[in-house]
Amino acid sequence: MQPIAPTVKRMGKTMMNEVGIYLNCDKSDSVEMAAKCIRYLRGRGIQVALLNNQMEPDGDPGVHIYPKDEFYKKPDCIVVLGGDGTLLSVARASCIYDMPLFGINLGKLGFLTEGEASNYEHLLKALCNGEFFLEKRMMLSSCINRPNGESETFLALNDVLVKNTGFRMMDIKAYAGKEGENMIDFFRADGLIIASPTGSTAYSLAAGGPVVAPGTDVMIVNPICPHRLHDRAYVIAAEENITIRFDERERDIIVSFDGQNIIPIGARDEVVVKKAPYTANLVRLNNVNFYDRLRKKLSDDVLSNISNKDRR
């Protein structure tokens, strides 16, 4: 097994010349928050990059509009305005350029984001002053291989999920090894999750899987509602490939990547998941460790749910 690369990289004083701002346009307060961020950054003399068609510029020559292929690689950093789902989508698009991502939470839980929108000036000040770290998160590369020899490759930060579109259980075989030569187990379950360490605190956790620290070089193979009482999640070294095959009688199968990209596949297709050659680079402002962050976020989620029930 290869040694695990350091999770956190100290950046020190880093000059920001241009900062990208990505909006979740489905959130009503996203445009307002973006305008506040632009005013702050321009006041510091920093240029701003926006993705084409997300927001109309106000004529400031220091605000640039880029198409996708330029937006994800030109800035020094991208500020992501939204929740974890927004950051997941930006991570998949930008990881090939090794782009640092700085999440400001406009969503609910905000596991991956670094701070709340109400504190945006403090957050941007630390970013502009270079007072941050980069936390490198392993990503997953997944290849769908068709019987006719065609294949498609997709990236994920959290997880790859296979299931059917109905309510039937599935017969799924999972294999490890470069060529899928070592059978892990046969599962009769509602589906199967292959999660990264980052994804261990997402759907996989809800399905009874283990919490895995971000710097751990592993993948989790976790059946969803398995029929056998003894079925549990497997933790597999990241140097392995995970190959998923199906009974030929299966139908209506889908594969989802981070719960966002959904691809229909056939029973004779196979899904191969491995460690991607890219990482998601999350900007962190302090050295709060993973376990403290996890406890706080889970506690906040429980308290929020209780509060919402009281209001109803």
Side-chain angles (χ1 to χ4, degrees), residues 262-289:
I262 299 174
I263 307 296
I265 64 172
R268 296 178 59 203
D269 297 339
E270 70 174 18
V271 181
V272 180
V273 183
K274 60 184 179 180
K275 179 181 178 179
Y278 316 109
T279 60
N281 301 312
L282 305 184
V283 172
R284 299 301 191 201
L285 300 184
N286 52 54
N287 236 350
V288 175
N289 69 63

Side-chain angles (χ1 to χ4, degrees), residues 300-312:
D300 289 349
D301 189 35
V302 170
L303 292 174
S304 175
N305 287 335
I306 292 172
S307 177
N308 289 336
K309 288 178 182 177
D310 289 344
R311 283 198 292 269
R312 289 198 295 268

Side-chain angles (χ1 to χ4, degrees), residues 24-212:
N24 181 339
C25 296
D26 293 331
K27 294 188 179 297
S28 58
D29 50 353
S30 186
V31 172
E32 180 183 353
M33 179 51 57
K36 292 178 179 179
C37 292
I38 291 171
R39 283 196 295 272
Y40 181 88
L41 293 168
R42 293 298 298 129
R44 295 284 301 257
I46 296 172
Q47 299 185 75
V48 174
L50 296 173
L51 180 60
N52 189 32
N53 296 324
Q54 280 207 325
M55 183 178 177
E56 289 296 326
D58 60 2
D60 185 337
V63 179
H64 306 142
I65 306 295
Y66 292 128
K68 282 185 179 181
D69 59 343
E70 295 184 43
F71 174 78
Y72 291 118
K73 66 181 179 182
K74 282 208 167 184
D76 300 303
C77 173
I78 294 177
V79 173
V80 182
L81 302 179
D84 286 341
T86 312
L87 199 145
L88 287 171
S89 66
V90 177
R92 293 194 305 273
S94 65
C95 66
I96 62 174
Y97 304 112
D98 210 29
M99 177 63 65
L101 302 179
F102 187 36
I104 296 181
N105 187 33
L106 302 180
K108 295 179 181 177
L109 192 55
F111 254 105
L112 300 177
T113 55
E114 184 57 16
E116 301 300 317
S118 58
N119 205 24
Y120 80 96
E121 286 192 355
H122 168 76
L123 299 173
L124 292 178
K125 179 181 178 181
L127 178 69
C128 295
N129 291 342
E131 299 167 356
F132 61 84
F133 305 89
L134 282 187
E135 189 175 68
K136 304 181 82 64
R137 296 292 186 96
M138 167 184 160
M139 297 193 68
L140 302 174
S141 176
S142 184
C143 187
I144 299 174
N145 296 321
R146 311 281 187 180
N148 62 3
E150 294 180 355
S151 64
E152 297 176 273
T153 301
F154 302 87
L155 294 171
L157 174 54
N158 265 356
D159 47 45
V160 177
L161 165 69
V162 294
K163 66 182 295 293
N164 63 47
T165 56
F167 298 97
R168 300 181 306 278
M169 300 187 82
M170 302 176 66
D171 291 333
I172 306 170
K173 292 180 181 179
Y175 299 80
K178 295 299 183 183
E179 304 297 329
E181 66 273 19
N182 302 314
M183 185 172 180
I184 299 171
D185 208 343
F186 165 84
F187 301 102
R188 184 159 176 76
D190 285 356
L192 193 68
I193 304 165
I194 294 88
S196 69
T198 299
S200 74
T201 57
Y203 190 9
S204 181
L205 180 63
V211 173
V212 178

